[in-house]
């Protein structure tokens, strides 16, 4: 496995341990990796309003932008039990900043590993280029 995936998996596992998910009990850890191999973790943070909940992947994107701004992106590592693909909202937010060949590595805690490109999961994306000039 790529070195950056291993490194990001550790960071995603730590973020998952910090997940605030008392309502769903579904703990999600994410780690967003830039072309420079910087890693930005995120976990899901739920809310009693339910609608205020934010997913791990979006928190990772917002974390990067809040800290260093927009960087060229390489991939994302996600850890859930059971293994899951990112939701449509998160794919949409990732597509704002990530290229079609951006890699999404999905793990479960037992080491099950699936990898997909962003373009596999969201082939016809609405992105900034979709808007009129
Ligand atoms: N969740 C994520 O963090 N990422 C996803 O891609 C799907 C769902 C979270 C939101 C909520 O806290 C819990 O998982 C159940 O939907």
């Amino acid at each position: 496995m790529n070195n950056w995936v291993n490194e990001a998996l550790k960071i995603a596992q730590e973020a998952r341990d910090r997940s605030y998910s008392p309502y769903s009990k579904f703990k999600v850890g994410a780690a967003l990796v830039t072309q420079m191999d910087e890693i930005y973790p995120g976990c899901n943070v739920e809310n009693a309003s339910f609608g205020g909940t934010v997913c791990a992947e979006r928190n990772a994107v917002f974390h990067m932008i809040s800290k260093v701004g927009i960087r060229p992106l390489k991939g994302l590592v996600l850890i859930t039990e059971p293994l899951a693909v990112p939701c449509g909202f998160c794919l949409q937010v990732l597509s704002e900043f990530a290229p079609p060949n951006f890699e999404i590595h999905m793990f479960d805690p037992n080491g099950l590993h699936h990898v997909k490109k962003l373009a596999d999961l969201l082939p016809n994306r609405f992105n900034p280029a979709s808007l009129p000039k």
Side-chain angles (χ1 to χ4, degrees), residues 21 24 26 28 44-46 53-57 78 85-87 90:
S21 40
S24 74
F26 186 63
V28 186
N44 55 329
V45 181
E46 298 188 343
T53 294
V54 183
C55 294
E57 301 91 316
L78 189 65
V85 297
C87 79
C90 289

Side-chain angles (χ1 to χ4, degrees), residues 18-126:
R18 294 188 289 268
S19 161
Y20 177 73
S21 40
Y23 306 108
S24 74
K25 314 260 194 276
F26 186 63
K27 294 160 78 74
V28 186
L32 183 66
V33 183
T34 72
Q35 292 283 354
M36 302 289 287
D37 286 326
E38 299 149 325
I39 303 176
Y40 296 95
C43 65
N44 55 329
V45 181
E46 298 188 343
N47 188 266
S49 70
F50 289 18
T53 294
V54 183
C55 294
E57 301 91 316
R58 274 177 288 158
N59 276 330
V61 172
F62 301 156
H63 177 187
M64 174 189 75
I65 295 175
S66 304
K67 202 159 181 191
V68 296
I70 298 163
R71 293 277 164 94
L73 294 175
K74 179 150 78 179
L76 178 101
V77 168
L78 189 65
I79 178 161
T80 56
E81 186 170 27
L83 180 148
V85 297
C87 79
F89 285 119
C90 289
L91 293 172
Q92 178 63 35
V93 169
L94 286 164
S95 81
E96 183 87 11
F97 307 108
N101 66 353
F102 178 86
E103 293 182 5
I104 298 176
H105 291 260
M106 296 152 277
F107 288 87
D108 79 358
N110 301 314
L112 183 65
H113 177 203
H114 291 183
V115 57
K116 295 271 185 201
K117 298 270 165 67
L118 178 59
D120 298 328
L121 298 176
L122 193 66
N124 298 303
R125 60 210 204 130
F126 184 90

